[in-house]
Amino acid sequence: MRWYVSIGAVLLAGAMASGDVASFAAPGPRPQPGQHVADKAADDAKPTVDVELILAVDVSYSMDMDELAIQREGYAQAIVSKEFLQALKSGPNGKISVTYFEWAASSDQKIIIPWRLIDGPETADAVANEIMKTPIRRASRTSISGAIYFAMPLFNEDPYHGLRRVIDISGDGPNNNGAPVTGARDEALSRASSSTACRSW
């Protein structure tokens, strides 16, 4: 259990700090000509956070119920950990928005935590408690690509504007369902690079 908590804290802190640890930037759909002006105005009107963080968590049958419970608890413990809270304070705004969903097959994703603001220990505790109170489930197949495609449009639903956007995916096994994972990854990265002229993610 301690190992899961430590790894979870390191991953979350890494995702917030640099995006290089098991994560990548992935903004919303490619803007149409002229659309970026309206999008930027809408984003600028939102409260600003340092990171918009999507936690995408595998619940496929390759893990048993005990392992899934440890994984869930690891994320909850990581969110209230000293490492995470220190990373939170180190940002220019000292706050992030986060959403947490579980995934398996290409058509099987379930949002556990809608977008929430974390700006200190109290809000971190609330998100951790919300993660833990949802019943644990298992599902068949493993579609990492499905998780990526599901995650990308979630940024459009976030009521906060992040200086960076990160999708952090945990997985236990190869992509064995849905589209190839490299195509989904490349699309997310392509959307990120095509939008940099209009926004800074």
Side-chain angles (χ1 to χ4, degrees):
M1 160 103 80
R2 184 79 180 164
W3 182 84
Y4 277 83
V5 173
S6 298
I7 291 298
V10 169
L11 289 177
L12 290 180
M16 290 170 56
S18 67
D20 292 335
V21 182
S23 60
F24 54 88
R30 181 183 304 229
Q32 300 300 313
Q35 180 185 354
H36 67 277
V37 176
D39 285 349
K40 187 177 187 309
D43 271 352
D44 289 346
K46 296 179 179 181
T48 301
V49 295
D50 296 320
V51 178
E52 295 176 67
L53 176 61
I54 295 176
L55 299 175
V57 182
D58 183 5
V59 293
S60 60
Y61 280 120
S62 58
M63 292 176 283
D64 62 30
M65 293 299 288
D66 287 342
E67 290 172 324
L68 290 170
I70 291 171
Q71 175 180 245
R72 177 82 70 83
E73 188 168 351
Y75 272 100
Q77 294 279 343
I79 285 172
V80 298
S81 69
K82 179 178 70 174
E83 295 92 339
F84 177 81
L85 293 173
Q86 285 176 340
L88 182 71
K89 288 192 299 184
S90 70
N93 296 286
K95 53 190 173 183
I96 68 166
S97 57
V98 61
T99 185
Y100 178 110
F101 75 86
E102 294 176 338
W103 59 272
S106 61
S107 59
D108 188 344
Q109 299 89 22
K110 180 180 180 182
I111 293 177
I112 304 301
I113 309 293
W115 286 105
R116 296 284 184 263
L117 179 72
I118 299 180
D119 58 2
E122 289 185 6
T123 48
D125 283 341
V127 170
N129 290 335
E130 199 170 353
I131 289 173
M132 291 302 297
K133 74 180 183 182
T134 305
I136 294 170
R137 72 185 186 102
R138 297 172 76 201
S140 62
R141 312 299 289 173
T142 302
S143 181
I144 301 168
S145 58
I148 295 171
Y149 284 124
F150 182 82
M152 285 189 280
L154 293 181
F155 288 119
N156 298 330
E157 302 171 13
D158 188 3
Y160 300 95
H161 167 63
L163 302 179
R164 294 178 56 251
R165 288 176 162 181
V166 174
I167 301 172
D168 187 278
I169 298 178
S170 74
D172 185 56
N175 189 75
N176 59 25
N177 181 251
V181 68
T182 51
R185 178 205 61 196
D186 291 348
E187 182 174 339
L189 294 174
S190 174
R191 291 183 182 187
S193 62
S194 70
S195 302
T196 54
C198 304
R199 303 174 182 174
S200 55
W201 282 303

